[in-house]
Amino acid sequence: RGESKLAIQFLDGLSKIAATAEDAARYQRRVAEVHEAQSDADAARSAFLRALDHQPNDLDALGGLNRLARSSEDWQALVGVLTRESLLRDGEERVAIAREIAEIWETKLEDAAVAMDAWRKVLELVPGDQTALTHLVDSARARKEWAVFIDDGQALVHYLEGEERTELLAQMGRVSIEQLQREDEAIRFLDQASLANPPSKQAAEDLERIHAGRGAWDQVVECIVRRASASEGEEAVTLLLRAAQTKKNQLRDRRGAAALYDRVLAVQADEPTALEFKGKYLFESGDLEGA
């Protein structure tokens, strides 16, 4: 008959004399629905909360609070409701709620620190979850929490392929050497990045710089060759020439230098430095015809 106030009065009275907590909660949900139909969100919220006082595991009441929080974009309240609901769910439903809570903290409430904690809870439910690891790595990078970036990056990289994997390995290598001063760790990451598919030229260059500082010239040559292999044309020729010169001058390895000059000539058959060295090398080796 449209007498909402009278209906609410009777429903409240019924909830007080209900024989069971379940019945009391049901009456309060009906009160909430009446208030919701009248667009009185505050009163509806109070009624749903009273239903939960009677029956703490009332998923219908939680659903009502969830609906009200979303409609009013009260993200803090929604997180509270979802947290309470997650305790009553299992399996994939619980995981989905945990992910949504983390996303709300990250995108709606914009609290990166709490969002990272929320993503960790997702990992507790699903160890190695790629989505959670991706968010944690991105957040750690943005917040410059480099040790966290490395720890989570090492877990994430196993799930990545192609350019994504290469780029993350290269980033971890650079962070390890520039931010954390972990040289051995940096070498490991940069080595993987420079040998990946596709390879990272930047990682090979960073790795070359580390080995040069250590005086490991054989490794320096290897890094230059990796850069050359990932390059084309004039750039590749320039790098191979430098690798050959390092092989000749630093390692006193003329045979190895000759092999690198052969690679130069395979790209640029008239390169004068390579031709001059090969001519002398073949002559000194007794290969007059080749010279």
Side-chain angles (χ1 to χ4, degrees):
R1 293 165 52 180
E3 298 181 51
S4 300
K5 289 184 179 179
L6 188 59
I8 290 170
Q9 180 182 339
F10 281 124
L11 289 166
D12 270 330
L14 285 168
S15 71
K16 292 175 182 178
I17 62 172
T20 66
E22 183 179 356
D23 286 340
R26 178 166 54 83
Y27 288 130
Q28 285 300 330
R29 289 201 307 272
R30 289 290 293 118
V31 170
E33 290 165 3
V34 174
H35 285 307
E36 198 173 357
Q38 294 181 313
S39 300
D40 190 343
D42 290 338
R45 188 176 297 106
S46 295
F48 280 130
L49 288 171
R50 288 195 297 273
L52 287 170
D53 288 338
H54 291 292
Q55 192 174 16
N57 62 346
D58 188 339
L59 287 171
D60 289 330
L62 287 171
L65 290 172
N66 185 315
R67 187 169 59 249
L68 290 171
R70 290 181 191 278
S71 64
S72 63
E73 297 186 349
D74 186 347
W75 307 118
Q76 193 82 48
L78 180 57
V79 165
V81 174
L82 289 171
T83 300
R84 193 165 177 174
E85 183 180 348
S86 71
L87 300 175
L88 304 175
R89 301 291 189 181
D90 294 311
E92 285 299 321
E93 289 181 318
R94 190 172 188 181
V95 173
I97 292 173
R99 285 200 181 102
E100 185 176 6
I101 289 172
E103 288 173 356
I104 291 171
W105 279 113
E106 186 172 278
T107 62
K108 303 296 185 183
L109 296 173
E110 298 182 344
D111 190 328
V114 178
M116 290 179 77
D117 288 339
W119 285 116
R120 296 249 175 256
K121 291 180 181 177
V122 174
L123 284 178
E124 290 176 8
L125 296 173
V126 187
D129 182 78
Q130 184 175 348
T131 300
L133 287 170
T134 298
H135 282 273
L136 286 167
V137 167
D138 290 343
S139 294
R141 184 192 294 112
R143 291 165 58 83
K144 298 182 179 180
E145 295 182 5
W146 301 122
V148 175
F149 172 74
I150 294 296
D151 288 343
D152 290 325
Q154 290 184 85
L156 176 61
V157 77
H158 296 294
Y159 298 97
L160 303 180
E161 296 179 350
E163 290 186 6
E164 283 186 314
R165 182 175 185 274
T166 299
E167 181 61 25
L168 180 55
L169 284 167
Q171 288 178 6
M172 288 194 295
R174 175 160 284 194
V175 165
S176 293
I177 190 63
E178 293 185 353
Q179 304 298 332
L180 301 175
Q181 288 74 54
R182 299 176 184 172
E183 197 169 86
D184 290 338
E185 181 179 76
I187 289 173
R188 179 161 54 86
F189 293 139
L190 294 171
D191 188 59
Q192 292 180 65
S194 62
L195 289 172
N197 184 23
S200 169
K201 289 192 287 185
Q202 183 61 58
E205 184 176 346
D206 292 340
L207 188 59
E208 176 192 339
R209 192 157 45 246
I210 293 173
H211 287 311
R214 291 182 165 192
W217 298 111
D218 56 336
Q219 295 299 320
V220 168
V221 170
E222 173 62 25
C223 292
I224 299 173
V225 170
R226 289 181 191 181
R227 292 173 61 192
S229 298
S231 305
E232 296 179 352
E234 189 63 34
E235 182 181 4
V237 168
T238 300
L239 288 166
L240 286 169
L241 286 172
R242 188 154 70 83
Q245 185 177 20
T246 304
K247 198 88 165 174
K248 178 181 64 175
N249 296 340
Q250 300 295 336
L251 296 172
R252 302 290 191 268
D253 182 358
R254 292 177 62 77
R255 178 181 295 181
L260 289 170
Y261 281 125
D262 280 337
R263 291 185 60 173
V264 171
L265 294 173
V267 178
Q268 186 176 328
D270 60 352
E271 208 294 314
T273 302
L275 288 171
E276 181 181 1
F277 180 88
K278 280 291 293 185
K280 290 181 179 178
Y281 176 76
L282 291 171
F283 181 81
E284 292 168 357
S285 301
D287 186 353
L288 302 182
E289 183 178 356

